[in-house]
Amino acid sequence: MATAAEDREVLASAGTWRATPGSYSSLRSLWLNPDGTGELVYGYGQTIYIVAPCAWEVPAVGRLRLTYAAPTRGRLAAGFALTDENRVKELGYTLAEGRVAGVEDVVPNPYEFNRTLDLSAPPWPDGLDLPYEVPRVFYGRVREVTAGDAEPSAAPDAV
């Protein structure tokens, strides 16, 4: 079983977690940066509904805490207000290893991921009236770091 710190490293190393990668029209993503900041994007078709900046942390294995800042862009941003009741959201999660691959439905862009993030609820702030199916399963590409991945040292002087 992984530790909270190990799970945090996996979540941060993927950078972007995408839901519905096979749908060309869908942009439902979690951007989780190593510094604990992030951005949640919900878009479909030619409309971005919400871009919500957040801070994120893994307080315990299987728990993801999101603390939202005011949404910055999107059709729903202007009419949405954060309150004490919806500013912080704690979700259960599971991380699973395994290849997920396919091709987008409209254009033949292939995708491939090696991790699945399954959340107990959608990650966007409560109180948003999001259209379409609101996903809670996301896919990420986590790069495994090995001893051979160390930064190369400076090139030796020419002889």
Side-chain angles (χ1 to χ4, degrees):
M1 181 176 199
T3 66
E6 290 167 336
D7 280 359
R8 187 190 185 295
E9 180 64 30
V10 168
L11 291 168
S13 67
T16 303
W17 291 86
R18 289 182 51 199
T20 61
S23 175
Y24 175 81
S25 299
S26 175
L27 176 61
R28 298 167 180 143
S29 301
L30 309 177
W31 300 74
L32 302 177
N33 301 315
D35 67 359
T37 62
E39 201 168 62
L40 288 68
V41 179
Y42 188 96
Y44 192 84
Q46 295 183 12
T47 303
I48 300 294
Y49 289 94
I50 197 79
V51 177
C54 69
W56 68 277
E57 59 185 308
V58 178
V61 173
R63 303 300 302 167
L64 175 65
R65 182 178 299 136
L66 301 169
T67 303
Y68 308 106
T72 56
R73 299 180 299 285
R75 177 178 280 181
L76 300 176
F80 178 74
L82 285 174
T83 65
D84 289 342
E85 287 77 38
N86 67 358
R87 184 172 309 280
V88 177
K89 189 172 195 176
E90 192 162 319
L91 306 165
Y93 72 84
T94 57
L95 278 169
E97 290 185 52
R99 182 175 182 266
V100 175
V103 177
E104 287 181 348
D105 55 3
V106 175
V107 293
N109 291 328
Y111 60 85
E112 183 174 351
F113 302 98
N114 63 3
R115 292 288 198 297
T116 299
L117 171 63
D118 190 345
L119 300 172
S120 60
W124 293 276
D126 291 335
L128 288 168
D129 188 20
L130 296 170
Y132 311 104
E133 176 189 355
V134 182
R136 55 180 195 78
V137 177
F138 296 80
Y139 305 96
R141 233 181 331 269
V142 176
R143 183 171 168 255
E144 299 298 328
V145 178
T146 64
D149 288 340
E151 295 267 336
S153 59
D157 293 335
V159 178

